[in-house]
Amino acid sequence: MTTNRFFPRFRFITAITNEQFALITFSDLHDYVLSEIVSFRVTKPYGMSEINQKQSKVIEVGDFTIRVEIDTTDFTPFIFPVSGQNTPPVCVPVGSGIVLNSPFLVYTILNDAFDNVRIS
């Protein structure tokens, strides 16, 4: 796994499926968790530019994958361009989502993903 000591942590995207709940695959292990809110940066050369700047809650996690609540069924397929210098597609955290076991019905923390804390 690539050492990433900057926050928020981001991951390079290697694949995105076209389905009701998109499955995102990363090049490295990730530390995203259930209910975390993430956002995507995908430029046109990679296809699926419809997902660019969209935010969603993580609903499933695997070692190299997350599933999100974005219906990509009708989006352009995700591809890797054959050549050229392109900004690589990434996923970035934008908030922790709903706080579990909160005494309030709906309580979210949106700014904690941006705490710039050094991990030694």
Side-chain angles (χ1 to χ4, degrees):
M1 182 164 100
T2 304
T3 302
N4 184 350
R5 293 181 183 227
F6 297 99
F7 286 83
R9 294 180 199 266
F10 67 89
R11 288 289 176 251
F12 292 108
I13 298 170
T14 59
I16 304 174
T17 60
N18 287 90
E19 56 186 318
Q20 182 179 7
F21 299 103
L23 183 68
I24 316 298
T25 304
F26 303 112
S27 59
D28 288 316
L29 293 168
H30 66 83
D31 56 3
Y32 298 127
V33 296
L34 289 176
S35 296
E36 185 169 4
I37 309 298
V38 294
S39 182
F40 303 94
R41 306 296 180 269
V42 178
T43 58
K44 286 188 182 207
Y46 290 90
M48 203 174 284
S49 59
E50 300 94 336
I51 202 168
N52 189 44
Q53 301 292 331
K54 287 202 180 289
Q55 294 183 6
S56 182
K57 180 171 71 169
V58 175
I59 58 172
E60 180 182 305
V61 294
D63 290 340
F64 290 86
T65 62
I66 60 172
R67 190 171 300 276
V68 295
E69 294 180 317
I70 297 176
D71 185 350
T72 57
T73 306
D74 295 325
F75 287 9
T76 308
F78 183 88
I79 58 167
F80 265 90
V82 177
S83 63
Q85 291 187 334
N86 301 300
T87 303
V90 294
C91 177
V92 295
V94 295
S96 65
I98 296 174
V99 177
L100 300 174
N101 301 319
S102 170
F104 306 103
L105 278 179
V106 178
Y107 178 64
T108 61
I109 297 175
L110 297 177
N111 63 349
D112 66 336
F114 299 100
D115 292 344
N116 200 359
V117 179
R118 183 182 176 121
I119 298 176
S120 48

